[in-house]
Amino acid sequence: MDLKLLLVSILFGVFSFSNSQKEGNECINANAKYCGECIQAGAKCGWCKDPEFLKQGETVSTRCDELQSLIKRGCDDDMIENPRGDQKILKNKAVTNRGRGEGKQKSEARLKLKPEEITQIQPQKLSLILRSGEPQSFDLKFKRAEDYPIDLYYLMDLSYSMKDDLENVKNLGTSLMLEMSKITSDFRIGFGSFVEKTVMPYISTTPAKLLNPCTGDQNCTSPFSYKNVLKLTSDGKKFNTLVGKQHISGNLDSPEGGFDAIMQVAVCGDHIGWRNVTRLLVFSTDAGFHFAGDGKLGGIVLPNDGKCHLENNIYTMSHYYDYPSIAHLVQKLSDNNIQTIFAVTEEFQPVYKELKNLIPKSAVGTLSANSSNVINLIIDAYNSLSSEVILENSKLPEGVTIAYTSHCKNGVVSEGESGRKCSNISIGDQVMFSITVTSKGCPKQGKPETIKIKPLGFTEEVEITLNFICECECNQDGIENSELCHFGNGTYECGACKCNEGRVGRQCECSSNDVATEDMDRTCRKDNGTDICSNNGDCVCGTCECKKRDNPEERYSGQYCECDNFNCDRSGNKLCGGHGRCECRVCVCDPMWTGSACDCSLDNSTCMASNQQLCNGRGTCECGTCKCTDPKFQGPTCETCPTCPGVCTEHKECIQCRAFGTGEKKETCERDCSYFNLIKVKDRDKLPQPNDATYPVMHCKERDANDCWFYYTYAVNNNTQKEVHVVDILDCPAGPDIIPIVAGVVAGIVLIGLALLLIWKLLMIIHDRREFAKFEKEKMNAKWDTQDNPIYKSPINQFQNPSYGRKAAVL
């Protein structure tokens, strides 16, 4: 299983490498037929216009390659077409530096600046020359100006539920003027109102309800969609007067037609009176909203056209056009640089917060039940909106991309979508944006395009003119119908023929209908063989055009594509050892290198010993390496003899001090004995053996001052490092042990005495038994005399009792 995984990993790695090589060189992959195609392939691509550059069998597209590759292949720098992009700032007015100040003189000086004279963004206009794949970057500076003019339009829901709110708004003009004067000296305010579309089922269309939509004795005005009550003005009292004349209206359903009103406020700039300053739209309501598609309930199916339809300051097409979509509304608000403040009741906070996420540069504030907090809400929302700058760009041409990097306060740097904005910007703060524009290819035949970048909610913008490099400079010197292109069948430009339609070949010598005939194929076979172009190319117009390899560094060449630059001998896994180039499968070595794989150095300096002799006079220098004639010598210059006599004695003291901390050099061990690697082993069997190592090993046995033996080996390994293996236990002679000896002697004497006693006893027993047996034998063999001794008188008397059966009685 592990082997399978390994094979899969290897194959995947090879596949990935080949793919990365193929994808990595976009110049080769472009297969460019002329210089213009080449430079559009990528920023690293160059075109060699040297007429003699191509080798036999190479296609015209091989003129297009990365710059280093072209130079390596023999193309001079001045013969490489490699146009570069550029940029030019056309308008670079500095950002305005001023403060509001106090006092009459400063105030008069401040009023001399008109809104269009205030600059918050720099530069204002520039031109970029874009080369495909080459990014062009520039810095954009933004500084929030002090005392910047503000236009605020208050758009209010006048449905019946907002009755108490209207009473508080009637005094909004002068109060808001007073508060905003703390922020800017140039402030204007306007007022508009909305209810709903004037069709069923949004309102009741009965005549009585059209006159007074409210029930009971409530006196309400007729329903309407949107009404522009007051154009933007700096007269706060006029605002109070006109708003005071407004009356509540009514409708049937809960959502309101506020989106119709917002659309008209955004697109009817002349009616509203918008200036090119900060534009704020306060949208006040206590209900939800209708959006695109809801108009079908009233039979309205035409999409909102996003145009102004105000007559006598009243929206007249509410019954004709559907509500706008959120996306349509976002576009119009952005186009007209309007920042929206949604002042809504707490009940509808979640809905409008979701809407805020879809509308850039908008804020949501909680409106009290009677709108008494509307001034504080507006001030807070304005401060929140003005403290954040978000860059947006107009629609980009095809193939053009733009990237932002923001450099905000306190050194905060962001990229990607976060790179478009900076937050917590106070009045007078300056932030920087790095903007990078990149083009891929050449859109619309290279015609100039214009894009704009601006901060959301601000009227100022940066205008960028994009010019595209689509052709090489040498293209201007092209010769149409040149004789160099087979009697005028192409244009000779940038060192190659750009064939007319229907013609092919390096010199446009063939018609596209005759590129594969038998007669032409015959000239593409080497030695009249069967393989066309050695199976490494295609026969075009009787000439071999070699195939391309996945690796752009590898190429076929030759009249029959029989040569290549990747099938030469290798050394160290490098083609031609990394010291030459492969030409037609043969290594051409660099100076001071030789061999079939250029792996043999002709430099003898590496063989020179310290005594200025080659290999110490003990060997020959071959390919920069010493070959020692005596195998017992080692090292780069045959200077080491690990098995020579005296080696053991020479290193004894250092090994003794490093391994055991003893010996004459134990005080200077660290200084004098660090020239070898010490490896400790447990016993003598662990020491390296001569047959186990690929280099000579010297076995040593030495005695220290305590008559202890220690064992080690000394060798110089294949990396010319000195290695010492030492047994970490000393072999010391042991002294006599008295107690065992005495005990042994005593025990011996006792045992011997016991043994002798046992032997004596055994012999006595044997002797006694033999004597007794002899006695018994003699006793059995004895024959005694049966006659009575005459002098013997028996002690026994016999008599016979006459009264007892005449038997004798013994007394």
Side-chain angles (χ1 to χ4, degrees), residues 255-488:
E256 313 294 0
F259 277 14
D260 274 342
I262 294 176
M263 177 62 75
Q264 294 303 301
V265 172
V267 300
C268 298
D270 294 337
H271 294 80
I272 304 300
W274 292 118
R275 298 177 297 171
N276 286 332
V277 296
T278 298
R279 299 174 177 179
L280 299 178
L281 170 61
V282 179
F283 182 84
S284 177
T285 184
D286 65 347
F289 48 83
H290 284 295
F291 53 89
D294 289 354
K296 292 181 180 180
L297 294 172
I300 303 173
V301 295
L302 284 177
N304 194 289
D305 64 351
K307 295 180 181 180
C308 182
H309 297 287
L310 290 184
E311 294 182 11
N312 296 323
N313 287 322
I314 295 177
Y315 180 39
T316 59
M317 302 297 287
S318 67
H319 65 286
Y320 190 75
Y321 289 115
D322 192 7
Y323 302 99
S325 66
I326 295 176
H328 196 185
L329 213 56
V330 170
Q331 177 191 349
K332 292 300 180 182
L333 289 172
S334 177
D335 291 344
N336 292 280
N337 305 308
I338 297 174
Q339 304 178 62
T340 310
I341 301 172
F342 295 105
V344 297
T345 56
E346 186 174 0
E347 178 184 359
F348 288 94
Q349 280 282 311
V351 176
Y352 282 91
K353 284 185 177 179
E354 291 296 327
L355 181 62
K356 168 190 172 295
N357 295 332
L358 301 175
I359 301 179
K361 291 295 282 186
S362 62
V364 177
T366 303
L367 192 67
S368 61
N370 58 3
S371 297
S372 59
N373 68 330
V374 68
I375 292 180
N376 291 333
L377 186 152
I378 292 173
I379 298 297
D380 292 343
Y382 169 73
N383 289 332
S384 174
L385 290 173
S386 60
S387 66
E388 183 177 57
V389 58
I390 302 175
L391 298 183
E392 69 165 0
N393 53 266
S394 59
K395 185 178 180 181
L396 298 174
E398 182 181 358
V400 176
T401 58
I402 189 167
Y404 297 86
T405 301
S406 61
H407 303 269
C408 306
K409 292 174 61 176
N410 302 322
V412 177
V413 179
S414 301
E415 297 180 348
E417 284 302 310
S418 299
R420 290 176 175 265
K421 65 181 180 180
C422 281
S423 303
N424 301 320
I425 303 175
S426 304
I427 293 175
D429 286 345
Q430 178 176 296
V431 294
M432 298 288 292
F433 293 90
S434 297
I435 301 175
T436 302
V437 181
T438 309
S439 173
K440 184 63 178 176
C442 196
K444 296 185 178 179
Q445 290 82 40
K447 293 181 180 179
E449 299 277 356
T450 300
I451 63 173
K452 295 181 179 180
I453 299 175
K454 68 175 183 178
L456 281 174
F458 295 87
T459 58
E460 298 173 74
E461 62 187 11
V462 181
E463 182 179 316
I464 306 173
T465 302
L466 305 180
N467 300 283
F468 303 94
I469 300 176
C470 299
E471 289 290 349
C472 300
E473 293 181 4
C474 59
N475 179 63
Q476 300 174 0
D477 301 327
I479 304 173
E480 295 185 2
N481 303 320
S482 171
E483 290 297 322
L484 296 175
C485 301
H486 198 264
F487 306 108

Side-chain angles (χ1 to χ4, degrees), residues 26-38:
E26 53 192 356
C27 314
I28 296 293
N29 296 337
N31 198 27
K33 301 298 183 184
Y34 59 93
C35 188
E37 282 187 348
C38 178

